[in-house]
Amino acid sequence: MQCFYAPETDLHDPIFRLTNGKIQRNAERAERARLMMAGLEQMGLSTETPPEAPRSTLEAVHTEKFLAFLETAWEEWQKLPDCGPEVVPQVFPKSEVATYPENIVARAGWHFGDTSAPIGEHSWTASRRAADCAVAAADVVLGGAPSAYALCRPAGHHTSADIAAGHCLMNNSAIAAARLRTEHARVATLDIDVHHGNGTQEIFYDRADVMTCSVHADPSDYYPFNVGHAHETGRGEGLGFNLNIPLPRTTTDEAWLEAIAASLEAIAAFQPGALMVSLGLDAHENDPLLGMKVSFDGFRRAGEMIATAGYPTVLVQEGGYLSPDLTTSLASFLSGFLGREG
């Protein structure tokens, strides 16, 4: 299986995070890539550096205003008096009646849903190269490979067409799905990150050609809180093509795997030409974000189930945070997916 990773993504190593009113170190650290690279090495997999994807692949998902903001925000922020080292929103100016702002402070609030995805000096380069990994993996599958993996940092599934949030900048998963859609009449997405893929859901919520499925911790008491409920099934032409399966934070292997099986059953009825998997590893029992209690064997069995479904599949890395177990979580999933021992 071909795997893609861009060293430039390590340049994104954010500092700021606000949790329950307390400033903490951001969880989306560059060290995550080292831990996941070790998981690939355990499986005997090497990585390739992706080519730069056409900007049109980004514009298939994101608005031009949003992309321009990501590209220029840090430099404009540095012109503010006594500014901090990262772009962190402090006002959220959207309302029922609102005009797109020119001021960088206001634009930061316009394009962010929370304070957990700060933009540093190299964040644009990193997020651009992460998207390149996702596109490269999709192109390999479009070229006939059964599967490919994109090690993307920063993650992406909380970002909508024009609002970034939850440690995410560009939505790499949605970009990969849209790329697959260029040659397949129907594409399915399966998000197994412990957090609901709210950005991916919003991007495709009105569409009947991309089915979105997400298995995640119940948002009634877990991020992203206000979206990800079972009653959200799509809108307009997309009605019936969005599936959410929220689970308690006490969830262990069997219930988690049953939810994935239910998602795959719905995907089978949809009959997609290809599948994009948002591969979050933060459902593991030792992940520091404490969302669920899935074991290494649970990840292995999930990988096996998804591979057995038989679709041309793009794996796009989402969450999974700093723990020595992150390496083994990735190797466990891939051992099941590839049908061999880790």
Side-chain angles (χ1 to χ4, degrees):
M1 181 172 70
Q2 285 181 261
C3 303
F4 294 92
Y5 162 71
E8 299 96 323
T9 61
D10 287 354
L11 297 173
H12 177 72
D13 198 17
I15 301 168
F16 187 89
R17 181 186 180 194
L18 186 65
T19 302
N20 300 333
K22 183 178 181 181
I23 296 175
Q24 300 181 356
R25 175 67 198 272
N26 198 283
E28 219 296 80
R29 303 181 201 175
E31 187 181 352
R32 294 180 62 240
R34 179 183 61 79
L35 294 170
M36 290 185 285
M37 289 285 280
L40 296 178
E41 290 170 7
Q42 283 187 16
M43 295 302 301
L45 296 169
S46 59
T47 60
E48 304 172 37
T49 302
E52 183 173 319
R55 196 176 179 98
S56 60
T57 60
L58 316 180
E59 294 170 345
V61 166
H62 295 298
T63 67
E64 182 51 43
K65 283 184 177 178
F66 177 69
L67 295 173
F69 166 75
L70 290 183
E71 188 170 8
T72 63
W74 188 83
E75 289 185 0
E76 291 192 49
W77 195 262
Q78 299 312 298
K79 299 173 185 176
L80 295 172
D82 196 28
C83 67
E86 296 176 315
V87 179
V88 180
Q90 62 198 50
V91 296
F92 294 89
K94 278 196 171 180
S95 63
E96 188 173 341
V97 179
T99 299
Y100 187 75
E102 293 299 321
N103 181 278
I104 185 59
V105 174
R107 266 188 291 137
W110 186 281
H111 287 298
F112 278 115
D114 57 38
T115 59
S116 64
I119 293 175
E121 181 177 4
H122 304 292
S123 296
W124 164 252
T125 298
S127 59
R128 182 69 169 85
R129 294 297 282 148
D132 291 341
C133 290
V135 172
D139 283 347
V140 163
V141 171
L142 289 174
S147 61
Y149 169 77
L151 202 175
C152 297
R153 277 198 63 258
H157 71 151
H158 293 308
T159 295
S160 68
D162 64 350
I163 297 176
H167 305 322
C168 300
L169 292 178
M170 273 191 271
N171 193 322
N172 310 303
S173 287
I175 289 168
R179 187 66 164 179
L180 292 173
R181 177 61 188 82
T182 62
E183 294 190 23
H184 292 283
R186 289 187 168 200
V187 170
T189 75
L190 174 58
D191 192 325
I192 62 171
D193 190 281
V194 79
H195 304 92
H196 175 246
N198 57 305
T200 308
Q201 171 176 299
E202 183 171 336
I203 287 166
F204 297 117
Y205 204 58
D206 299 285
R207 292 173 57 167
D209 59 337
V210 179
M211 183 177 197
T212 49
C213 302
S214 183
V215 176
H216 51 271
D218 190 338
S220 63
D221 69 344
Y222 201 66
Y223 189 90
F225 297 110
N226 63 341
V227 65
H229 301 279
H231 66 261
E232 299 159 15
T233 58
R235 180 177 52 224
E237 292 183 3
L239 187 62
F241 298 109
N242 187 83
L243 174 66
N244 288 328
I245 305 182
L247 299 170
R249 292 174 66 179
T250 54
T251 295
T252 53
D253 290 2
E254 295 308 320
W256 188 65
L257 292 167
E258 286 174 8
I260 293 174
S263 299
L264 290 171
E265 184 177 347
I267 288 169
F270 180 66
Q271 297 183 316
L275 175 67
M276 188 287 302
V277 176
S278 290
L279 181 57
L281 300 167
D282 40 7
H284 189 262
E285 57 192 340
N286 293 332
D287 189 272
L289 298 191
L290 304 174
M292 285 189 198
K293 300 181 182 299
V294 175
S295 72
F296 295 134
D297 189 59
F299 280 121
R300 180 192 62 77
R301 292 165 64 191
E304 185 176 47
M305 290 168 59
I306 292 168
T308 300
Y311 304 107
T313 301
V314 177
L315 305 173
V316 178
Q317 189 62 54
E318 294 287 353
Y321 296 94
L322 290 184
S323 161
D325 293 329
L326 179 56
T327 296
T328 310
S329 291
L330 180 56
S332 297
F333 177 88
L334 292 175
S335 69
F337 185 80
L338 296 173
R340 52 192 171 92
E341 294 298 323

